[in-house]
Amino acid sequence: MENESTVRPSRMTRQQVLTLMSMASVNFSSMICYSILGPFFPNEAIKKGASQTTVGLIFGCYAVCNLIGSLVLGKYIVQIGAKFMLVAGLFVSSGCTIMFGLLDRAPAGPAFITLCFIVRSVDAVGFAAAMTSSFALTAKIFPNNVATVLGSLEIFTGLGLILGPPVGGWFYQSFGYEVPFMLLGCFLLVMVPFNIYILPSIDSFFRLLTHFKIVLICYAIFTLSAGLGFLDATLSLFAIEKFKLTPGYVGLIMLGLSLPYCLASPLMGYFTDKYPATRRWFMVMGGIITALGFCLLGPAPFLHIPSQLWLLVLMLGLIGFSLGMTAIPTFPEIITCAYQNGFEEGLSTLGMVSGLFGAVWSMGMFYGPIVGGLITQHLILVNQLNITIARTLLIPEEFSC
């Protein structure tokens, strides 16, 4: 038995290969559909009468519905069935993606905004089903190499994040609003029979949060997703206004965030699986580097450093790399902590852990865009008020700040 356990990880079974293919398709399709909005949707929504805060809420509602979906579906994954949950989630998301592409035909104002919230919310529940079952299936089939497999699969997550903004920005500039969503919706629809064919059939949530170590890990996950959600809602508008860039170039700038993450994730996954004791140190160092990157991204006003395009791209790359350092070890570390505290080894516990991960991540994605949108809109209004007062008092604008 010992010889079999040492040899088995070096040679994957057919079930493991098929599962990897399925999970890779889910990661890629989910992230490309999520990231495609960044370069052009905020501007499109503002043209339709949405405010900056409303744009943040549209991004944030995806996260809060993903949160609720992850909590509920993670609890009932065993009863529903992991494969059915994944396939059904992809089917729902494909329909919502196509419907989202038709929203430019809706009347501007409340009708457009309401439809955005409805379609985006249903889409979030669909992807919550797909991602929750994806994490659980991966951990079930690769119990000894969870971080390595997740890190490898994050290559496809990174590819989705890499291709989404530039492809979305280019298709938007070339063919208009509808074409990017139609293409991706059809791509998701193709993923449904693909996963039905290749995916192997494998037949108290809040108790996890009673352990302080798991709460700390969840806080790290929350801060990372909140930062990314903030960038989703505000980065494109900042780059367009500050550097006068087109949506296509904004999509290329976002490569600075996703490409380092794509490259760092498999390395971090392999290293933390080989040396599990380093996971906590990677999370700490990654958090510190992420904080430094956000301070220099703007940069922060108290640093008195002028905004420059090269500095923005460099800091996005630093944040992307540190995200891989912090995020990859969190999932296997929560699983290890759960088993050490008496949770039964099986799909039920893995489903709860994946649901917790998705829920906390979604909380951050809900908090980040909404708070970021509110703060950005408030600062814009304050700056405009200062300029108005300065003009009234005949003080040059450069002294108004």
Side-chain angles (χ1 to χ4, degrees):
M1 294 298 293
E2 293 181 359
N3 291 336
E4 290 180 3
S5 62
T6 57
V7 174
R8 189 172 299 166
S10 63
R11 185 177 181 180
M12 291 193 300
T13 64
R14 181 176 181 273
Q15 184 186 59
Q16 290 175 324
V17 173
L18 292 176
T19 302
L20 278 177
M21 294 173 62
S22 177
M23 298 306 102
S25 69
V26 172
N27 284 21
F28 177 80
S29 58
S30 63
M31 287 300 103
I32 196 172
C33 285
Y34 178 81
S35 62
I36 194 176
L37 296 177
F40 62 88
F41 180 76
N43 266 344
E44 193 73 19
I46 288 174
K47 292 178 184 177
K48 285 284 191 177
S51 65
Q52 175 66 57
T53 301
T54 304
V55 173
L57 287 170
I58 292 173
F59 277 93
C61 78
Y62 182 96
V64 74
C65 292
N66 203 302
L67 181 156
I68 297 172
S70 296
L71 288 172
V72 175
L73 297 171
K75 181 178 181 180
Y76 295 104
I77 187 171
V78 176
Q79 292 86 344
I80 297 174
K83 180 176 179 178
F84 177 81
M85 184 185 292
L86 188 146
V87 172
L90 286 178
F91 181 79
V92 170
S93 296
S94 65
C96 290
T97 302
I98 293 173
M99 291 177 62
F100 205 87
L102 300 174
L103 292 183
D104 66 326
R105 304 184 183 186
F112 172 82
I113 294 170
T114 302
L115 288 172
C116 283
F117 278 114
I118 294 174
V119 176
R120 192 82 170 141
S121 299
V122 177
D123 190 18
V125 175
F127 270 127
M131 295 306 296
T132 299
S133 55
S134 171
F135 275 118
L137 285 169
T138 302
K140 176 67 176 178
I141 297 176
F142 301 93
N144 299 320
N145 304 97
V146 176
T148 301
V149 174
L150 286 178
S152 300
L153 289 174
E154 287 305 304
I155 294 176
F156 297 92
T157 300
L159 286 175
L161 291 172
I162 288 171
L163 293 176
V167 170
W170 184 82
F171 273 109
Y172 173 78
Q173 279 188 293
S174 302
F175 304 104
Y177 179 85
E178 295 182 3
V179 172
F181 296 102
M182 295 298 176
L183 290 176
L184 288 180
C186 293
F187 176 76
L188 277 176
L189 201 57
V190 171
M191 289 295 103
V192 172
F194 175 75
N195 281 279
I196 290 175
Y197 176 72
I198 70 171
L199 189 65
S201 297
I202 302 177
D203 286 8
S204 123
F205 179 80
F206 292 101
R207 183 185 159 206
L208 288 169
L209 296 176
T210 61
H211 303 285
F212 183 69
K213 182 178 179 180
I214 294 179
V215 173
L216 284 179
I217 297 173
C218 289
Y219 177 74
I221 297 169
F222 173 83
T223 56
L224 291 176
S225 60
L228 290 179
F230 168 76
L231 293 178
D232 285 333
T234 60
L235 180 61
S236 63
L237 294 174
F238 172 77
I240 291 172
E241 179 182 352
K242 191 73 176 179
F243 303 109
K244 312 301 180 186
L245 300 177
T246 64
Y249 280 109
V250 174
L252 291 176
I253 286 177
M254 290 183 173
L255 293 180
L257 177 67
S258 51
L259 185 58
Y261 175 73
C262 175
L263 297 175
S265 294
L267 297 177
M268 297 301 168
Y270 174 78
F271 194 85
T272 54
D273 259 345
K274 190 172 183 180
Y275 305 102
T278 62
R279 291 173 184 164
R280 65 189 67 180
W281 297 110
F282 272 113
M283 288 188 283
V284 172
M285 290 187 296
I288 294 173
I289 296 173
T290 302
L292 176 64
F294 271 99
C295 285
L296 294 173
L297 189 64
F302 62 83
L303 296 176
H304 303 291
I305 300 174
S307 296
Q308 299 184 40
L309 184 58
W310 68 265
L311 182 61
L312 176 70
V313 176
L314 179 63
M315 289 303 105
L316 285 174
L318 189 67
I319 293 170
F321 182 82
S322 61
L323 177 64
M325 290 180 62
T326 309
I328 295 302
T330 55
F331 189 72
E333 194 67 15
I334 294 176
I335 293 175
T336 301
C337 186
Y339 289 158
Q340 289 175 348
N341 286 278
F343 284 83
E344 182 182 356
E345 296 190 16
L347 189 61
S348 178
T349 299
L350 297 175
M352 285 190 292
V353 172
S354 61
L356 176 64
F357 184 94
V360 175
W361 185 272
S362 297
M363 287 176 62
M365 294 298 290
F366 172 74
Y367 175 86
I370 293 177
V371 174
L374 288 170
I375 293 175
T376 302
Q377 185 172 353
H378 175 73
L379 292 176
I380 290 174
L381 293 175
V382 170
N383 189 50
Q384 290 175 347
L385 180 62
N386 289 339
I387 292 174
T388 303
I389 295 173
R391 286 174 176 171
T392 304
L393 298 176
L394 300 179
I395 300 175
E397 291 181 11
E398 55 266 28
F399 293 101
S400 65
C401 297

